[in-house]
Amino acid sequence: MIFTRLARKNGAASTLALALALTAGGVVGATVLDTPAHAAKKEKEKAAKPSYSKAFVAAYKPLEELAKAEPVDYAALKAGFPTLLAALENDDDRYAAGSFIYANAAKQQDQATALQGMEMMLKSGKVPAENVGQFNFVAGQLAYAANDYAKARPYFQAAADAGYTDNDPLIFVAESYFAEDQAQQGLTYLSDLINAKMAAGETVDEAWLKRGLAQAYNNNLNAEANKYSSWYVKQYPGEDSWGDAVAILLNTGGYQNPEILDLLRLGKRVGVLRDGKLYLEYVDAADYRRLPAEVVSVIDEGYAAGKLDKSDPYVTDTRRQAAERAATDRADIDKLIADANKSGATLATVLAAGDTLLGQGRPADAEPFYAKALSMPSANTPMVLTRLGIAQFDQGKYAESEATFNKVEGARKAIANLWAIYAAQQADGAAM
C-alpha cells in the first residue's frame, strides 16, 4: 500500500480472502447413524449415545444409501432433505440431519444448503464444546459467501466468543461492514478491536491497520485515515507506514504552504519523500525568496535521490536563485539576529529570524526566537509551536519537542501529532 500525493485510489482495497471449508470432513463429516440395539454395551456408553427417533432413522437410511453411491446423484439426494427434516423429533435428530446435509452439500459446493446444515447443528445444542467456535466460524463464512453479511456477523462474533482464534474471526465482522459499503461502521468496529488490543498491551496485526487505513482513505473519511495512519506509524514504523502517513495527510488536510512546509519537513527528516512531485511541492512551500538555504538543501537532496531532473530548467533556475539569496542571507544574518533581539522588535522580524536560522540548519539559534514569538500579540500560536518543536527536534531534544508538538491545536494538530510520534520514536531509538 503506497500512497503518493494526489493519488487517491479508486475503490476499496481487496477484501481478505475467504477460505471456505467446503470439503467433506473439513469441519464435520457425514454422520453415520447407529441403530439403538447394542445390548452388549455398558449402560454408561449407552447413555452417552445419541437417541434418534424411529421416524428419523427411517427417513435417514434411504438418503444414506444415496450418499454412498458413486457418482452421487446430488439432485435426488437433495430432494430428500425435506423429508428428512420433516421427521425430526429431537435435538439428536437435528444435529445428525444438519451434519449429513452440511457434509453432502459441502462436497457439491452448495453453500446455501451447507449453511442450513451448519445452522441446524448449532441450533441443536449438540455441537461439542471444543467445536462450537469452529462451527460458528464456518457458518459465518458460508453466510459471507452468500453476501448475507448481517447473518454472517453474529456467527463470526460467536466464534470469537467461543475462543476460536484461527483465521481471525473478528476481522471478518469488520469486513462484513466493508462489503456492505458501510465503511464507517466497519472502521468503528475495527477501531474498538485495535483499542482493546493496545489497552491490553498486545500487538495489533499490521493487516488490520493497513485495511482500516485503505478503507478510510478510499471512502474519504479523512479523520479516520489520519487516525489509522498514526496507529500504523506507531505500531510499525518504517518507510511504508511513514510515507503513507505523510502522503495521506498532505492529500486530505486541505493545507496551505505554511502547513505543507512543516509536514514535508517531517517527510524529509524521516526520509519518505517518495517522488519528484513531493520535492517540488516542498520547494514551492519553502519559497526560495523566503527560505533560500532550505530550498537549496531540498533540491540537492532530490538530485541525490534521483527524484529531481537536473536538466529541468525550473529546478535549475530555482536552485540558482535560491543559492544567490542564501549567500546574501548568510551575510546579513547577524543584523537580522540583532534586530530580532531588540526589545521593540516586531513579530515579523522575530519570526523571520527564527525561520531563516531554522532554514539554514541552525536550530539552536532559531529556538529562542520562536519562544519569544509565542509571547507576542497576534502570534500564530499553532504555527510557532510547530516550528519551535522542529527546532528542538533538530537539536536532539526529543522529549521537549514531543511536549511542544502536543500543545498544538487547530488545523495543524494532525501534523504536530505525527511530529510528536516521530520525536518519541527517536527518543526511544526506534529504528525505521
Side-chain angles (χ1 to χ4, degrees):
M1 178 173 59
I2 301 296
F3 295 92
T4 57
R5 179 60 160 156
L6 301 178
R8 190 178 292 272
K9 295 179 181 177
N10 293 322
S14 300
T15 59
L16 299 178
L18 287 174
L20 293 173
L22 286 180
T23 57
V27 176
V28 288
T31 297
V32 178
L33 297 184
D34 291 326
T35 55
H38 288 288
K41 296 293 184 181
K42 296 178 181 178
E43 286 302 317
K44 184 175 180 181
E45 292 175 339
K46 286 183 180 179
K49 285 186 176 182
S51 176
Y52 303 119
S53 66
K54 292 181 179 180
F56 175 69
V57 172
Y60 174 84
K61 287 297 184 180
L63 296 180
E64 183 183 33
E65 294 305 314
L66 280 176
K68 289 179 181 178
E70 291 292 344
V72 173
D73 183 349
Y74 182 64
L77 182 63
K78 185 176 179 179
F81 290 166
T83 300
L84 183 67
L85 298 180
L88 300 181
E89 294 184 11
N90 58 49
D91 285 333
D92 287 329
D93 292 350
R94 190 166 290 105
Y95 179 79
S99 179
F100 181 80
I101 290 170
Y102 167 81
N104 285 285
K107 286 180 182 179
Q108 305 298 324
Q109 297 292 305
D110 182 355
Q111 296 175 5
T113 303
L115 176 57
Q116 292 174 8
M118 184 60 69
E119 288 181 318
M120 287 179 63
M121 285 189 283
L122 289 167
K123 289 177 181 177
S124 74
K126 295 293 183 175
V127 175
E130 64 271 19
N131 297 126
V132 168
Q134 186 183 22
F135 281 34
N136 273 286
F137 182 75
V138 173
Q141 286 186 305
L142 291 165
Y144 193 108
N147 302 325
D148 192 344
Y149 305 114
K151 176 180 280 191
R153 278 193 284 274
Y155 283 124
F156 288 131
Q157 186 66 56
D161 291 344
Y164 183 76
T165 57
D166 292 355
N167 306 305
D168 215 350
L170 290 178
I171 194 64
F172 286 99
V173 178
E175 285 294 333
S176 71
Y177 286 113
F178 297 149
E180 290 179 318
D181 294 325
Q182 297 186 59
Q184 184 60 69
Q185 291 90 329
L187 289 168
T188 297
Y189 182 88
L190 187 55
S191 295
D192 289 342
L193 296 182
I194 291 171
N195 279 320
K197 278 189 171 288
M198 291 192 296
E202 299 175 7
T203 300
V204 179
D205 192 325
E206 184 177 9
W208 289 18
L209 299 171
K210 293 171 72 172
R211 183 66 172 133
L213 180 56
Q215 279 289 320
Y217 185 75
N218 290 329
N219 286 282
N220 301 310
L221 299 171
N222 296 342
E224 292 284 351
N226 292 330
K227 178 177 71 177
Y228 274 85
S229 62
S230 294
W231 279 340
Y232 191 19
V233 296
K234 283 182 179 179
Q235 297 276 323
Y236 298 93
E239 290 186 13
D240 285 349
S241 59
W242 272 109
D244 285 351
V246 170
I248 286 171
L249 190 52
L250 188 64
N251 289 347
T252 62
Y255 295 126
Q256 300 301 311
N257 278 346
E259 294 80 25
I260 291 172
L261 172 62
D262 292 334
L263 177 57
L264 293 180
R265 281 170 162 166
L266 173 61
K268 183 175 185 291
R269 284 157 178 79
V270 183
V272 293
L273 299 182
R274 288 172 167 165
D275 53 41
K277 290 180 181 179
L278 288 177
Y279 278 99
L280 290 176
E281 192 148 8
Y282 193 153
V283 167
D284 289 343
D287 190 341
Y288 76 91
R289 295 163 298 183
R290 294 181 56 255
L291 300 171
E294 190 165 358
V295 168
V296 171
S297 174
V298 172
I299 291 176
D300 286 349
E301 181 182 298
Y303 283 156
K307 306 296 185 182
L308 292 178
D309 184 357
K310 290 186 177 181
S311 67
D312 184 334
Y314 170 76
V315 179
T316 56
D317 186 55
T318 298
R319 191 196 182 285
R320 176 185 59 79
Q321 295 184 72
E324 292 172 356
R325 285 178 176 265
T328 301
D329 279 358
R330 288 192 179 92
D332 295 339
I333 191 62
D334 289 341
K335 182 179 184 303
L336 178 58
I337 290 173
D339 289 342
N341 275 324
K342 292 177 181 178
S343 60
T346 65
L347 176 62
T349 300
V350 173
L351 283 176
D355 287 344
T356 300
L357 289 164
L358 186 63
Q360 289 180 356
R362 298 172 59 180
D365 295 323
E367 182 180 357
F369 291 109
Y370 290 127
K372 181 177 180 178
L374 282 175
S375 65
M376 300 178 73
S378 303
N380 182 337
T381 299
M383 183 189 75
V384 177
L385 280 170
T386 304
R387 293 181 181 174
L388 173 61
I390 295 172
Q392 293 167 334
F393 178 93
D394 285 351
Q395 296 173 69
K397 297 160 68 171
Y398 301 127
E400 290 181 46
S401 67
E402 182 185 1
T404 299
F405 290 129
N406 284 333
K407 295 177 184 177
V408 176
E409 299 293 340
R412 281 177 166 265
K413 186 175 180 63
I415 297 172
N417 179 54
L418 289 182
W419 269 104
I421 293 170
Y422 191 53
Q425 290 176 347
Q426 294 298 99
D428 291 340
M432 280 283 290

